[in-house]
Amino acid sequence: MAITQISVFLENRAGQLSEITKILSDNNIDLKALNIAETADYGILRIISDDCNEAAKLLRNNGFIVTETPVVAAAVPNKAGGLNELLNIISNEDIDIEYMYSVFGQKDGLAYMIFKVKDVDIFTSVLKRYFVVVASGDDLGIK
């Protein structure tokens, strides 16, 4: 089960990230997860919000380059070694992780990791086979 992540191209200049968060804040968009990957010349901001469709529309309307990507939110027991247990399953199933990052906050003693993988359906099926909780948008407060 996939959720939507938006990626925003960032110029390497002071204040650009605050421009984006101001646009989202002014429109009552709540961030659920955020990750920044950068090079010397530019960055990519990855966001999951409570309304990714509206966030993407707002950012596009304000001149930002935005793409939408399906990702998977997998539950991780919030204990020492919890992430390692999940990563061992993924490794043993020979699934390549393109990137991952965490979701803000916790629910029911679980943390959540966002995974970008080649095939969301296969990945979700593998996780469910091992009884890993795959979060829906509702679980994370996403429309």
Side-chain angles (χ1 to χ4, degrees):
M1 154 181 354
I3 58 176
T4 300
Q5 163 197 278
I6 61 173
S7 298
V8 185
F9 177 81
L10 298 175
E11 298 173 33
N12 262 355
R13 66 173 172 81
Q16 186 161 58
L17 187 56
S18 69
E19 289 173 27
I20 291 170
T21 57
K22 179 169 179 21
I23 291 166
L24 298 176
S25 175
D26 287 350
N27 289 278
N28 296 314
I29 301 291
D30 184 26
L31 297 177
K32 301 297 184 178
L34 176 142
N35 174 274
I36 299 175
E38 92 308 315
T39 69
D41 299 319
Y42 65 91
I44 301 294
L45 171 65
R46 296 179 176 116
I47 298 172
I48 296 176
S49 74
D50 62 342
D51 190 341
C52 283
N53 291 332
E54 184 64 18
K57 179 179 142 189
L58 286 165
L59 293 172
R60 282 188 186 105
N61 289 345
N62 280 275
F64 290 96
I65 298 169
V66 177
T67 60
E68 297 174 54
T69 305
V71 293
V72 175
V76 180
N78 190 20
K79 64 177 185 176
L83 179 58
N84 184 60
E85 292 171 13
L86 177 57
L87 293 177
N88 280 334
I89 291 169
I90 295 167
S91 176
N92 290 339
E93 291 291 328
D94 200 31
I95 295 173
D96 183 37
I97 299 169
E98 294 181 29
Y99 57 80
M100 64 182 247
Y101 56 95
S102 62
V103 174
F104 299 152
Q106 305 173 43
K107 183 177 177 182
D108 301 326
L110 298 171
Y112 289 91
M113 295 299 296
I114 301 297
F115 289 93
K116 169 65 172 87
V117 294
K118 182 177 180 178
D119 190 314
V120 168
D121 293 331
I122 290 173
F123 184 62
T124 299
S125 176
V126 166
L127 293 178
K128 288 182 176 181
R129 192 166 13 115
Y130 285 90
F131 305 103
V132 174
V133 174
V134 177
S136 67
D138 288 342
D139 295 328
L140 300 176
I142 299 169
K143 295 178 187 174

